[in-house]
Amino acid sequence: MNTPAAVFCAAVAFQCLAINPAQAQPMRCKNDLAQVGDGKASVLQKCGEPVFKDSFCKPVERQSVPIDGQARVIVNTQACDRVDEWTYNPGRGQFMTTLRFEAGTVQSITYGDRVK
């Protein structure tokens, strides 16, 4: 039945899913898990060396600071933030896994193609 209440409930449920995306799944390493928030040393200890490392410079957003309550000066002390991506090959039939580090900690874990 397509009552207004049912339509409203479906719309609210859809918005909740869109606002709160699923958390990144941790990556299994031997008998441990690497997860968002882990530092580089922790990931190295748990998972060992990745098969590929990449680094790039992510532009920093400009920040403005009020002076005397009105005028604003653009402050940009860094040209960019360093981002490191480590890719792991967990083995045949598993998914290639990339950990993205920002400020030295894992910010995201993404899964790619299956290893053949």
Side-chain angles (χ1 to χ4, degrees):
M1 229 158 142
N2 220 358
T3 65
V7 172
F8 176 76
C9 289
V12 169
F14 178 76
Q15 282 184 328
C16 288
L17 289 174
I19 293 171
N20 299 318
Q23 294 292 324
Q25 293 294 316
M27 179 177 80
R28 180 162 299 285
C29 300
K30 302 171 193 161
N31 294 325
D32 213 337
L33 295 174
Q35 52 197 346
V36 171
D38 285 352
K40 289 181 181 180
S42 176
V43 171
L44 278 174
Q45 183 178 17
K46 293 175 184 179
C47 306
E49 283 290 329
V51 294
F52 182 74
K53 287 183 179 181
D54 191 21
S55 295
F56 61 92
C57 191
K58 181 175 116 179
V60 176
E61 292 184 28
R62 291 184 177 179
Q63 297 177 353
S64 59
V65 178
I67 296 177
D68 297 330
Q70 292 182 358
R72 292 184 173 258
V73 174
I74 301 300
V75 176
N76 193 3
T77 58
Q78 284 182 274
C80 62
D81 286 331
R82 180 183 168 138
V83 176
D84 295 306
E85 291 185 338
W86 293 2
T87 302
Y88 286 88
N89 178 345
R92 185 180 171 109
Q94 302 298 314
F95 295 99
M96 293 293 285
T97 308
T98 301
L99 281 66
R100 177 177 277 206
F101 293 87
E102 294 182 32
T105 61
V106 177
Q107 296 300 308
S108 66
I109 300 172
T110 56
Y111 294 89
D113 295 334
R114 276 192 193 271
V115 177
K116 295 180 182 180

